[in-house]
Amino acid sequence: ILTGRLASSHGVMAKSDALPDAVTTMPESLKAAGYATAGYATNFNVAPYFNFHQGFDQYVYLEPEFVLGADDASAKLLLMQVIRQRVEKMRAMRGEVRPGAAYQDAETVNAALTSWIDGQAASPWFLFVGYMDPHDPYFAHPYDGSGYARAAHQHPDPSEAPALSALYDGEISYWDRELGKLLDGLRARRLYDQLTIIVTSDHGEEFNEHGGFWHGTTLYDEQVRIPLLVKLPQSRRGGTVVRHWVQSIDLMPTVLKLVGATVPEGVQGGDLFTGTDVVYAEESHEGNVLESVRELDGTDEYKLITANRDNPRGLAPVELYRVDLDPNERENLAQQSPDQVRMATKALLEQRARAQQDAVVADSVELDQDVAAHLEAIGYIER
């Protein structure tokens, strides 16, 4: 989203990877074009610690609240972190997850955004906002003190899928209402019509569709097919639903072209309004090394997924789906369609080579106790 590059190109794959200075980001490009740039994040994975503030005039990681009333300074002490982890994990095991303990919610984020917007002059500005809801821990809305956290439930029982999915739907509805309030505020400030507003996600969530939960260990559509809503100034093209495929890497070059800014070297994305005939994804996480490619063969839509042998998730090395007829990816056609597998593999190898063009090496940061505790609280590492 911020670099217009595929994962192999920008290099940020592992939890210890930081965004390299060698990559030119969207805020850097917009800043060079005369824009004021700001960002607000609630996910520690994109905190300044990992260099995601690169190119922003102001970039704020909205810290979660600290247990037992500790402030930021004392919470970084090892003893306080241990206490915090144990208290929060005990609460999570009982289904008690306090709002704000793992991440700040949309209402809190919007208050910060509104304050920043009100302080801007008439000059053009760019605002990046990383909400964490909907995301685990899942909360009941309105808040009633209950919640469900990945940190305490790495492997939910399959029977829990309907209840967890309902909680997640409630999180989506909560966020949607808060977005509506933000948009109403933009209208009241007479800013809405002038703005380009893009709403998207970095991933979906699995609720036992393929035998697992959460996200980060497969490339099935429940995890990689995500929403994308684009509102242009004066609502140009309003109500249009495009039929072509687009990718997250298309966002940066599209935005830069819309405002007449220069698209930097190394950007691999295209145009949201023309799309692509091939969609590529890659992942290397928790020992699962995966790739997928979706392409058209005439009007037939195929998706190939490959996985390293003996991967912890237990995925087959090769899977092929006719996703226009089998959108839930249930019938693996790899064994009965070897010619189609060969064609899709050729496309995958071409996309892999493209992904590695102009690749940079990610910087690495130390995952000390404080950093690890932040990541554990939102379910990204298990200790």
Side-chain angles (χ1 to χ4, degrees):
I1 292 174
L2 291 178
T3 68
R5 290 172 176 249
L6 293 161
S8 290
S9 180
H10 63 62
V12 184
M13 298 281 273
K15 289 301 166 194
S16 59
D17 289 339
L19 189 63
D21 288 328
V23 171
T24 301
T25 64
M26 180 164 21
E28 285 180 299
S29 298
L30 290 170
K31 189 174 179 179
Y35 279 69
T37 58
Y40 285 85
T42 53
N43 188 331
F44 190 70
N45 283 291
V46 292
Y49 189 85
F50 296 102
N51 202 33
F52 276 84
H53 61 296
Q54 185 176 323
F56 288 99
D57 297 319
Q58 178 178 329
Y59 191 84
V60 179
Y61 168 57
L62 295 169
E63 288 267 9
E65 296 170 5
F66 294 108
V67 69
L68 305 178
D71 60 18
D72 187 25
S74 64
K76 290 190 187 317
L77 295 174
L78 177 58
L79 177 60
M80 182 55 71
Q81 281 294 355
V82 171
I83 295 172
R84 174 186 174 183
Q85 289 168 232
R86 289 181 178 175
V87 169
E88 295 299 344
K89 202 157 191 174
M90 286 171 58
R91 286 173 171 164
M93 292 294 289
R94 298 195 302 265
E96 301 171 8
V97 185
R98 295 183 304 115
Y103 61 82
Q104 296 291 357
D105 65 15
E107 182 178 1
T108 303
V109 175
N110 287 347
L113 304 185
T114 302
S115 177
W116 183 87
I117 290 170
D118 286 343
Q120 294 311 297
S123 59
W125 47 263
F126 165 74
L127 187 56
F128 169 76
V129 189
Y131 294 94
M132 274 285 277
D133 28 28
H135 196 284
D136 95 277
Y138 306 146
F139 297 102
H141 292 278
Y143 295 124
D144 62 5
S146 66
Y148 196 99
R150 181 177 183 175
H153 305 278
Q154 288 288 334
H155 305 288
D157 188 273
S159 65
E160 297 180 89
L164 295 184
S165 182
L167 272 176
Y168 190 74
D169 288 348
E171 290 250 294
I172 294 171
S173 296
Y174 162 76
W175 179 85
D176 186 63
R177 288 191 296 272
E178 292 303 317
L179 176 66
K181 294 175 186 177
L182 178 65
L183 297 182
D184 287 343
L186 294 173
R187 293 187 183 96
R189 291 166 174 79
R190 299 184 178 180
L191 293 172
Y192 179 83
D193 286 339
Q194 307 169 42
L195 289 171
T196 295
I197 301 172
I198 298 175
V199 177
T200 191
S201 177
D202 55 338
H203 60 76
E205 201 83 329
E206 183 180 3
F207 295 99
N208 200 45
E209 290 91 342
H210 288 91
F213 288 82
W214 315 116
H215 58 268
T217 58
T218 80
L219 293 177
Y220 298 118
D221 271 11
E222 59 265 17
Q223 295 201 26
V224 301
R225 190 170 184 178
I226 54 173
L228 174 64
L229 306 172
V230 179
K231 178 261 166 198
L232 297 173
Q234 284 72 52
S235 296
R236 297 195 309 268
R237 303 182 62 158
T240 302
V241 179
V242 301
R243 304 303 305 169
H244 54 253
W245 302 339
V246 296
Q247 303 182 89
S248 298
I249 58 172
D250 299 335
L251 290 169
M252 176 184 180
T254 301
V255 167
L256 296 182
K257 289 174 185 175
L258 282 172
V259 301
T262 301
V263 178
E265 293 292 326
V267 169
Q268 297 165 327
D271 190 323
L272 288 178
F273 303 111
T274 57
T276 179
D277 290 333
V278 180
V279 175
Y280 174 73
E282 56 183 327
E283 176 180 301
S284 179
H285 185 50
E286 297 180 4
N288 302 285
V289 183
L290 317 175
E291 290 178 278
S292 77
V293 66
R294 181 190 298 255
E295 66 167 352
L296 289 171
D297 180 10
T299 59
D300 300 344
E301 186 177 336
Y302 285 94
K303 180 178 174 183
L304 177 74
I305 306 174
T306 66
N308 56 316
R309 293 190 181 276
D310 301 320
N311 61 83
R313 179 60 193 258
L315 302 171
V318 180
E319 297 176 72
L320 180 73
Y321 297 99
R322 176 81 186 273
V323 281
D324 54 333
L325 301 180
D326 180 20
N328 295 321
E329 299 161 294
R330 297 297 185 194
E331 186 181 1
N332 183 3
L333 303 175
Q335 292 293 328
Q336 64 196 69
S337 305
D339 291 341
Q340 199 65 51
V341 169
R342 277 193 291 272
M343 290 176 58
T345 300
K346 182 176 182 289
L348 186 146
L349 293 174
E350 290 171 352
Q351 291 299 307
R352 178 194 294 175
R354 175 171 170 259
Q356 293 171 353
Q357 288 176 356
D358 301 313
V360 299
V361 178
D363 297 324
S364 184
V365 294
E366 182 184 354
L367 296 183
D368 60 22
Q369 289 286 345
D370 181 58
V371 173
H374 277 85
L375 296 176
E376 186 183 25
I378 52 177
Y380 280 99
I381 63 173
E382 184 177 3
R383 296 193 294 170

